[in-house]
């Protein structure tokens, strides 16, 4: 297609936006409202994913060494643990260090531990973290078989319930986002159909005087593209300003931190892409019926 012809189609698409002011406003409004809802949920979904990862990163396993193990044997056990590919970190905590940590936790009540230095009842232990926290149960079974391992504790019941909850939220969020995308496609394409239906006589006349189907389609295609993009820019700006305000006022929630501001760039790219794509698809689908004359 010649550049001059494309320029003509672009100018015609812009002219149609201003010529049909109220219908253009209605179409852009539909895009804006729908994508605003989608954008807000995307931000929520991203942050739920962020919170889930932070929660998973706190999952750790305590591996207690059998009482009376020689120092050389403990070092060998440490070597074996560090050789496991499923683990991301292995930290050795001697019984003396464990007692000091317990004193720090008790703070003002640390005097309850007086006299335990000479007869320390705490065992030596290793604190392990898995590369994939969801595999911690499998890793625990593997670690339990190693020599000198007395007991493995990772809060089995609590951790399994937590992972079930995290997976449910993630899957439900993904399904909802996909459903919202289809809803956006349905609402926006129907609004554009109404816009094109109001100009069916114009399309019929162009067809009767010999215009090709694609010559008629291109201005509407560009018009749909611009409606989608313009409609996406407004929710993108609102979400951007709103999220910056939230990060400035509330950097975190309880023990969790929100996703960084760079999240907005991803959300903006998704909204603008969806807006442009839906605008063009809606235009092509809607105008096809009026070309069959």
């Amino acid at each position: 297609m010649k550049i001059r012809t494309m320029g003509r189609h672009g100018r015609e698409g812009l002219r149609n936006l201003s010529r049909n002011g109220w219908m253009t406003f209605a179409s852009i409004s539909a895009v804006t409202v729908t994508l605003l809802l989608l954008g807000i949920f995307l931000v929520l979904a991203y942050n739920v994913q962020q919170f889930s990862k932070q929660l998973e990163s706190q999952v750790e396993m305590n591996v207690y060494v059998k009482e009376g193990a020689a120092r050389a044997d403990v070092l060998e056990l440490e070597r074996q643990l560090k050789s496991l590919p499923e683990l991301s970190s292995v930290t050795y905590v001697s019984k003396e260090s464990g007692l000091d940590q317990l004193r720090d936790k008790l703070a003002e009540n640390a005097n309850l531990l007086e006299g335990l230095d000479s007869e320390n009842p705490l065992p030596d232990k290793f604190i392990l973290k898995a590369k994939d926290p969801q595999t911690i149960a499998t890793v625990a079974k593997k670690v339990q078989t190693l020599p000198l391992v007395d007991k493995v504790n990772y809060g089995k019941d609590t951790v399994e319930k937590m992972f079930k909850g995290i997976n449910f939220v993630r899957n439900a969020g993904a399904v909802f986002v996909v459903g919202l995308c289809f809803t956006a496609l349905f609402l926006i394409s129907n609004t554009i159909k109404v816009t094109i239906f109001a100009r069916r006589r114009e399309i019929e006349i162009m067809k009767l005087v010999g215009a090709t189907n694609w010559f008629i389609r291109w201005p509407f295609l560009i018009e749909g593209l611009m409606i989608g993009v313009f409609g996406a820019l407004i929710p993108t700006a609102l979400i951007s300003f709103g999220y910056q305000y939230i990060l400035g006022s509330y950097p975190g929630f309880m023990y969790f931190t929100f996703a960084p501001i760079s999240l907005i760039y991803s959300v903006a790219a998704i909204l603008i892409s969806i807006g442009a794509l839906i605008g063009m698809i809606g235009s092509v689908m809607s105008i096809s019926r009026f070309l069959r004359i």
Side-chain angles (χ1 to χ4, degrees):
M1 185 180 293
K2 295 181 179 180
I3 297 177
R4 181 182 301 176
T5 305
M6 280 300 297
R8 180 263 171 198
H9 292 326
R11 290 191 299 274
E12 187 65 22
L14 285 171
R15 192 177 298 116
N16 287 341
L17 289 177
S18 58
R19 184 189 305 162
N20 304 280
W22 282 110
M23 295 305 297
T24 299
F25 176 77
S27 299
I28 291 178
S29 298
V31 175
T32 298
V33 172
T34 307
L35 293 186
L36 180 61
L37 292 174
L38 178 60
I40 291 173
F41 191 82
L42 281 175
V43 170
L44 290 175
Y46 270 113
N47 277 285
V48 167
Q49 181 75 2
Q50 172 94 346
F51 293 164
S52 299
K53 288 182 178 179
Q54 293 174 17
L55 194 60
E56 287 180 339
S57 68
Q58 297 175 20
V59 175
E60 59 186 27
M61 181 193 319
N62 289 314
V63 177
Y64 298 99
V65 181
K66 289 181 179 179
E67 186 66 29
R71 176 62 179 165
D73 293 333
V74 174
L75 291 175
E76 174 60 19
L77 176 59
E78 183 176 13
R79 186 195 65 77
Q80 292 175 340
L81 291 172
K82 288 183 176 179
S83 68
L84 295 177
E86 300 90 345
L87 297 179
S88 61
S89 70
V90 177
T91 305
Y92 173 66
V93 180
S94 66
K95 58 173 62 181
E96 292 78 17
S97 298
L99 187 59
D100 290 337
Q101 292 174 5
L102 187 56
R103 283 196 179 99
D104 292 338
K105 289 181 180 179
L106 291 176
E108 296 178 356
N109 297 317
N111 61 310
L112 297 174
L113 303 177
E114 289 181 2
L116 293 182
D117 291 302
S118 57
E119 297 182 9
N120 190 341
L122 300 179
D124 295 328
K125 70 175 181 178
F126 290 93
I127 299 176
L128 313 181
K129 285 193 175 183
K131 292 179 181 177
D132 180 3
Q134 302 248 3
T135 64
I136 195 165
T138 303
V139 177
K141 291 179 181 178
K142 190 174 183 179
V143 170
Q144 185 67 67
T145 63
L146 296 176
L148 296 181
V149 173
D150 182 36
K151 185 174 63 173
V152 175
N153 181 25
Y154 62 93
K156 180 180 178 180
D157 293 339
T158 302
V159 168
E160 288 180 352
K161 288 179 182 178
M162 181 187 73
F163 285 148
K164 286 181 180 178
I166 288 174
N167 291 332
F168 173 79
V169 171
R170 284 176 175 169
N171 295 334
V175 170
F176 193 81
V177 167
V178 172
L180 203 54
C181 286
F182 278 107
T183 302
L185 175 61
F186 175 77
L187 292 176
I188 294 170
S189 62
N190 275 311
T191 304
I192 294 175
K193 282 181 183 178
V194 173
T195 304
I196 294 178
F197 182 78
R199 293 154 59 188
R200 63 192 182 281
R201 291 290 298 169
E202 174 186 342
I203 297 170
E204 291 172 357
I205 291 172
M206 292 176 66
K207 184 68 175 175
L208 289 172
V209 297
T212 64
N213 288 346
W214 274 107
F215 188 86
I216 299 172
R217 280 193 185 103
W218 271 110
F220 289 98
L221 189 66
I222 294 173
E223 183 180 352
L225 170 66
M226 289 185 289
I227 287 174
V229 171
F230 291 155
L233 290 176
I234 298 173
T236 298
L238 291 174
I239 291 171
S240 177
F241 289 129
Y243 195 63
Q244 287 184 47
Y245 173 79
I246 290 174
L247 287 183
S249 304
Y250 311 98
F253 174 74
M254 296 178 67
Y255 299 105
F256 306 106
T257 56
F258 290 116
I261 191 63
S262 57
L263 157 68
I264 294 302
Y265 301 130
S266 299
V267 173
I270 292 172
L271 293 183
I272 293 174
S273 299
I274 290 177
L277 184 63
I278 288 176
M280 290 189 295
I281 291 175
S283 294
V284 171
M285 291 173 58
S286 303
I287 198 174
S288 296
R289 60 176 296 192
F290 298 110
L291 297 178
R292 305 189 194 101
I293 62 172

